[in-house]
Amino acid sequence: MPITLSRQQQILHQSPIRYMSIACARAGGINMAQGICDLDIPAEVAEGARQAIADGFNIYTAADGTAALKQAIAVKYARHYGIAVEPEEEVLVSAGATGAFYAAMLAILDPGDEVILFTPYYGYHKSTLESLGCRLKYVNISLEDHTVDFAGLQKALSPRTKVVVINNPLNPSGKVFSQDELNEIGRLLAGSDTTVVSDEIYEHFVYQGRKHIPISTVSSLKERSIIVSGFSKIFSITGWRIGYAMLPAEVKKAAVKFNDLVYVCPPAPLQTGVTKGLAAITMDYYQNVAAEHEEKRDLFCAVLEKIGLTPIIPEGAYYVMADISLIPGNDDREKVMHLLDRTGVAAVPGSAFYNSDGRTDMARFCFAKKMPVLQEACERLERRLPV
Ligand SMILES: Cc1ncc(COP(=O)(O)O)c(C=O)c1O
């Protein structure tokens, strides 16, 4: 008799991002589907980890991460944003932002709890919440002008709303929440006990002089907000699995139990690498990363515009949603496959970021590629499109 699989596993499906990455590898194409940042890893980060391994720092750490890394994260928030964070009480280091989000959500949500998610969404948020049995409601963020449907949010909120999840800057459309918008979320939640969970992993990727605003700086949300972020993107270490959550002390105590249960601890020597990196890297580094990606954004968006794949200019993160209506195909899945066949450039169908009634005329491209690769992608698109 074969092993019977759980009902739970049926909730999860292979993500279109992974699917397109596999199709791209098979076609030997340029993978603009997956959100891997092609920066070089900072030397201090790599050397810190190498040294830690050589020094024998290869055993379990505390379940919530090393004291040194929690402290370094607190210092970063004080330096960048003027926020005081208590490292031992309020910082949880986990297996990437993904692990931090999972542990934090397990700490505050029960099956049947109501959660509001904005569309377009980051697929892991939806899948995590669904796997926990939450009831999801969706509120739209306009692709055309990045505005939030606040009337929709007000309508969706109910006394049963336990959590509102935002992603700022937003993968896939690149929306960056303004101070007014974050204040408005705070205003709508005033008097409730709804928690705002903000995934801020692209905090350093903001363009045209915009400033990233952490959710916990909104005074009315200070006690009821959780920030999730990490180092995968900014240090180009997606495979290291080091991220964190900053959460109220009581929530952290609960989240640590799950972090311990699922991961035991984040990878020991890699925590040291990140700690060394945080200490050594100056503000210039972050500014240069933003400037470099702004240049790539502008280059790639200009080409999309030229060939008729009209882009939604992102304000942050390193993805762009573009209109693929002119590419042959019955829906966006067929269109991105056609695009891959014809140009060797892989993108993600836009419907991957929506619930069932979402759009099917868009695709997401990741422009965080090394310049020669990005240029090659631009050339291929220009040469072989429009179709
Ligand atoms: C919004 C968002 N959050 C989290 C992650 C994953 O972060 P990590 O590698 O730290 O788990 C990604 C990666 O694409 C992302 O886009």
Side-chain angles (χ1 to χ4, degrees):
M1 282 283 274
I3 295 173
T4 317
L5 300 179
S6 70
R7 279 189 301 278
Q8 289 219 70
Q9 62 79 31
Q10 290 171 10
I11 296 167
L12 301 176
H13 303 282
Q14 185 186 49
S15 88
I17 301 174
R18 215 172 264 282
Y19 175 81
M20 285 311 296
S21 296
I22 294 168
C24 180
R26 219 179 286 131
I30 298 177
N31 189 355
M32 299 185 84
Q34 202 160 32
I36 292 178
C37 181
D38 267 359
L39 288 170
D40 290 327
I41 174 172
E44 296 87 349
V45 176
E47 186 44 38
R50 248 193 304 269
Q51 194 58 52
I53 293 170
D55 292 345
F57 189 54
N58 300 303
I59 56 169
Y60 300 135
T61 69
D64 61 340
T66 63
L69 181 50
K70 284 174 280 182
Q71 173 69 26
I73 292 167
V75 168
K76 178 193 141 171
Y77 275 80
R79 190 157 59 128
H80 282 248
Y81 306 115
I83 304 177
V85 185
E86 173 43 60
E88 287 300 326
E89 308 274 301
E90 296 173 331
V91 180
L92 166 68
V93 182
S94 187
T98 308
F101 183 73
Y102 189 54
M105 293 305 90
L106 277 162
I108 60 174
L109 289 169
D110 283 311
D113 280 347
E114 205 172 277
V115 178
I116 294 177
L117 194 59
F118 288 97
T119 49
Y121 52 64
Y122 169 60
Y124 271 69
H125 292 159
K126 179 183 187 238
S127 300
T128 302
L129 295 163
E130 283 186 339
S131 76
L132 298 181
C134 297
R135 292 196 301 132
L136 292 178
K137 284 185 174 175
Y138 299 96
V139 174
N140 194 48
I141 292 179
S142 161
L143 279 188
E144 278 64 34
D145 59 7
H146 299 297
T147 51
V148 178
D149 177 6
F150 280 114
L153 177 58
Q154 187 158 24
K155 215 164 123 209
L157 284 167
S158 85
R160 291 182 305 282
T161 310
K162 193 83 197 282
V163 167
V164 173
V165 176
I166 67 171
N167 179 204
N168 179 26
L170 173 60
N171 170 10
S173 66
K175 186 219 170 23
V176 173
F177 285 76
S178 69
Q179 184 72 66
D180 284 349
E181 289 171 325
L182 295 176
N183 290 346
E184 183 60 10
I185 293 175
R187 196 185 68 77
L188 290 175
L189 297 185
S192 76
D193 60 359
T194 306
T195 301
V196 181
V197 180
S198 180
D199 179 339
E200 304 185 357
I201 190 136
Y202 298 103
E203 64 189 290
H204 300 294
F205 299 84
V206 284
Y207 309 127
Q208 292 171 293
R210 287 187 179 81
K211 295 263 173 291
H212 170 70
I213 306 169
I215 192 71
S216 57
T217 59
V218 177
S219 51
S220 62
L221 294 174
K222 195 168 180 303
E223 316 276 294
R224 285 182 294 122
S225 60
I226 294 175
I227 291 175
V228 170
S229 192
F231 304 98
S232 284
K233 314 286 175 178
I234 189 63
F235 289 167
S236 229
I237 48 170
T238 48
W240 281 25
R241 315 307 308 130
I242 308 278
Y244 57 90
M246 297 198 307
L247 50 200
E250 285 310 307
V251 182
K252 177 182 162 174
K253 277 190 202 149
V256 173
K257 293 194 276 188
F258 292 107
N259 214 47
D260 189 358
L261 182 69
V262 183
Y263 313 113
V264 180
C265 69
L270 307 185
Q271 292 187 65
T272 305
V274 169
T275 308
K276 299 279 188 222
L278 281 173
I281 284 164
T282 60
M283 286 293 197
D284 293 359
Y285 174 83
Y286 299 102
Q287 281 155 7
N288 291 341
V289 167
E292 187 180 324
H293 284 80
E294 185 168 334
E295 191 189 337
K296 290 177 178 173
R297 175 195 76 153
D298 292 347
L299 170 77
F300 190 62
C301 286
V303 169
L304 289 174
E305 189 73 60
K306 193 164 147 195
I307 60 175
L309 306 192
T310 309
I312 312 293
I313 307 295
E315 302 168 333
Y318 49 56
Y319 307 91
V320 55
M321 290 284 261
D323 187 331
I324 52 166
S325 308
L326 63 71
I327 296 177
N330 289 321
D331 58 21
D332 54 351
R333 284 166 193 262
E334 284 186 21
K335 286 170 193 275
V336 292
M337 285 311 290
H338 184 92
L339 181 73
L340 177 61
D341 285 346
R342 187 165 173 90
T343 67
V345 174
V348 183
S351 56
F353 308 99
Y354 286 87
N355 48 332
S356 49
D357 53 357
R359 311 178 51 142
T360 57
D361 55 347
M362 308 295 287
R364 188 199 74 173
F365 295 83
C366 168
F367 56 80
K369 298 277 154 200
K370 289 232 178 345
M371 207 37 135
V373 178
L374 188 64
Q375 280 162 341
E376 167 69 21
C378 289
E379 273 169 33
R380 285 184 188 202
L381 291 171
E382 277 192 273
R383 219 177 318 125
R384 301 191 196 150
L385 287 179
V387 270

